Amino acid sequence: MARELWFSFLILELAIFATAAQQSQPHPQKPTVPSASSGAPPQVPHTLNITPEEKARKNPIRFTDISVARGKKIFHTQCAMCHGENGKGDGDLAQEMKITPPDFTKPGVLSGRTDGELFSIIGQGLPPMPGESKRLRPGQTWDLVNYLGTLQGKTPAK
């Protein structure tokens, strides 16, 4: 029972992160109203509570192959069910929940975000994705931020 509850919570967290990343794109988006045939819920605009200090926060974990490998492992166990194995937003849970996480592999999806912003989004969460600040240690979150960079085409140091 506890394991099922934990898994459900994890799934919800990932869905929130996906929505946060999608809604945080630089251009404003109007809420969409689904067609009667789509069955998808409308997208709700979100407010990010990220301070200028958080936005300017530098990643203390070097962008290396080792950090990226750790971040990839975290992504695959904590994020892939919604964001998909390759970060394309096509995870099984996202499809089941009828949500559309962003495709992190598309150019520009994350490029407008600083590492500090991504760290805050992952930590705070954004509906329907719960925050990870109480579950992940800061170093794990920074490793995850580094892995997300590789999905945008950045190459880590050896």
Side-chain angles (χ1 to χ4, degrees):
M1 175 73 175
R3 187 177 183 142
E4 292 172 349
L5 182 61
W6 178 85
F7 183 73
S8 297
F9 181 74
L10 176 62
I11 291 171
L12 183 60
E13 283 184 279
L14 295 172
I16 290 173
F17 180 75
T19 303
Q22 181 179 23
Q23 293 298 326
S24 63
Q25 293 178 3
H27 53 82
Q29 297 178 350
K30 294 181 182 179
T32 58
V33 178
S35 68
S37 62
S38 75
Q43 295 295 320
V44 180
H46 301 289
T47 303
L48 295 172
N49 297 316
I50 300 174
T51 67
E53 293 80 19
E54 290 171 319
K55 184 175 181 177
R57 190 173 180 188
K58 299 296 180 198
N59 189 336
I61 306 293
R62 288 187 56 229
F63 184 53
T64 64
D65 286 335
I66 294 169
S67 171
V68 167
R70 290 188 305 243
K72 183 176 183 176
K73 185 181 283 188
I74 294 166
F75 184 88
H76 283 191
T77 61
Q78 307 298 317
C79 312
M81 66 232 7
C82 287
H83 290 283
E85 288 296 315
N86 298 310
K88 293 183 176 282
D90 58 354
D92 292 339
L93 185 61
Q95 293 173 20
E96 186 174 314
M97 293 177 65
K98 296 186 179 9
I99 58 174
T100 53
D103 180 347
F104 294 141
T105 66
K106 284 187 178 178
V109 169
L110 298 176
S111 64
R113 296 280 179 202
T114 66
D115 283 358
E117 284 178 290
L118 294 174
F119 182 89
S120 293
I121 291 167
I122 294 167
Q124 291 179 30
L126 205 58
M129 185 189 86
E132 293 283 348
S133 64
K134 294 185 179 173
R135 289 185 358 90
L136 295 178
R137 294 183 310 274
Q140 291 175 305
T141 304
W142 287 118
D143 286 335
L144 188 53
V145 168
N146 283 340
Y147 174 68
L148 291 175
T150 66
L151 296 179
Q152 286 286 286
K154 295 179 184 175
T155 304
K158 300 288 178 199

